[in-house]
Amino acid sequence: AQKITQTQPGMFVQEKEAVTLDCTYDTSDPSYGLFWYKQPSSGEMIFLIYQGSYDQQNATEGRYSLNFQKARKSANLVISASQLGDSAMYFCAMRDYTGANNLFFGTGTRLTVIP
Amino acid sequence: NAGVTQTPKFQVLKTGQSMTLQCAQDMNHNSMYWYRQDPGMGLRLIYYSASEGTTDKGEVPNGYNVSRLNKREFSLRLESAAPSQTSVYFCASRGTSGTSSYNEQFFGPGTRLTVL
C-alpha cells in the first residue's frame, strides 16, 4: 500500500525568502511518480511539478524545485523567492506505475507568505 | 478549450435524496477520476475509469456509483445521500502514455456538496 506523509500542517515564510515543504512516501514499487499540487483559497487544484522515480536529476519548474532523495523516500518541494500569491495549501501525491496508476495524496501543508 | 468542467458548483441535499455530479473533459483523455476532499485530509479516490467502458473502485467507493458515458463524460451518483458524504468533490482526467499529459492529472473546479 502507498502512503504519503506531510508532517507540516502549516508553514510561514517571509516574502522573497525560500521555503521547503516536506513530503515522505512509502512504497514497495520500483516505478512511481511524485507530484506537488497547489490549492489556493479559490479551491482549484493546480499542478506544480513532477518527479519520476528513475529521473536522475531533481525536477525544476521556475521557482519550484523538488528535492528528491530516493534512499530517504522524501520528495520535498522548495519554493524560492516566495510571493504573496504562493499562500495556499500544498499537496504532495504519489502515483505508482503498476496497477491502476492512481494518485495518493498527503494531507497537505498550508503555506502563508508574510509581507 | 475548457479543460475539465463540473456541474453543479454547489449543491445542498437532504438525507436520502439522490443526485448526479457531472464531469466532462475536452482534452481527449482516456483516464478519468472522482475524488473527495474533506477538511484536514487530502484528496481520496472514489472511483476511476482507466478508459471508456471501464470503471473501478478507489479508496472510498461506498455510497457512490459512476458511469463513463463516453470518452468525454464521467458522472458520479449518490443514490441515497448521507451527512457523511458532505464534502468537496473533484473530477480529474489524465492523458495517455507517450503524451505530454500522461503524468499530470488535470482537475475540475470542484463541487461543494452539503447533505443535511
Side-chain angles (χ1 to χ4, degrees), chain A residues 8-107:
Chain A
Q8 306 155 314
M11 289 283 287
F12 292 86
V13 65
Q14 204 75 37
E15 193 178 6
K16 300 180 184 177
E17 297 292 313
V19 63
T20 298
L21 306 184
D22 294 342
C23 173
T24 58
Y25 60 92
D26 183 24
T27 181
S28 56
D29 297 315
S31 185
Y32 52 90
L34 296 156
F35 302 76
W36 279 91
Y37 282 83
K38 173 183 178 181
Q39 186 178 43
S41 58
S42 51
E44 71 269 32
M45 296 290 288
I46 302 169
F47 168 74
L48 295 179
I49 197 166
Y50 164 79
Q51 177 91 39
S53 59
Y54 294 117
D55 293 341
Q56 294 297 312
Q57 293 190 320
N58 287 346
T60 60
E61 290 287 347
R63 294 186 299 109
Y64 304 107
S65 60
L66 201 153
N67 185 1
F68 181 47
Q69 297 186 46
K70 195 170 183 177
R72 297 180 62 184
K73 295 189 175 180
S74 74
N76 299 338
L77 177 70
V78 180
I79 306 174
S80 62
S82 296
Q83 302 171 356
L84 295 178
D86 294 334
S87 293
M89 282 290 289
Y90 289 82
F91 291 96
C92 180
M94 179 174 68
R95 191 178 86 217
D96 68 272
Y97 287 92
T98 59
N101 280 298
N102 296 324
L103 277 181
F104 295 86
F105 284 83
T107 52

Side-chain angles (χ1 to χ4, degrees), chain B residues 99-114:
Chain B
T99 68
S100 61
S101 58
Y102 175 65
N103 291 319
E104 176 188 349
Q105 285 192 15
F106 294 79
F107 284 81
T111 295
R112 188 172 295 273
L113 175 67
T114 302

Side-chain angles (χ1 to χ4, degrees), chain B residues 25-70:
Chain B
Q25 51 91 9
D26 61 3
M27 296 174 283
N28 201 36
H29 286 172
N30 279 349
S31 301
M32 297 186 74
Y33 307 81
W34 275 106
Y35 294 90
R36 61 177 289 173
Q37 183 180 25
D38 301 301
M41 305 184 75
L43 279 69
R44 293 182 294 169
L45 184 66
I46 305 171
Y47 269 93
Y48 66 97
S49 172
S51 61
E52 186 179 356
T54 68
T55 61
D56 284 287
K57 296 178 180 179
E59 184 182 356
V60 288
N62 291 345
Y64 305 96
N65 285 302
V66 291
S67 296
R68 184 73 183 267
L69 303 170
N70 47 55

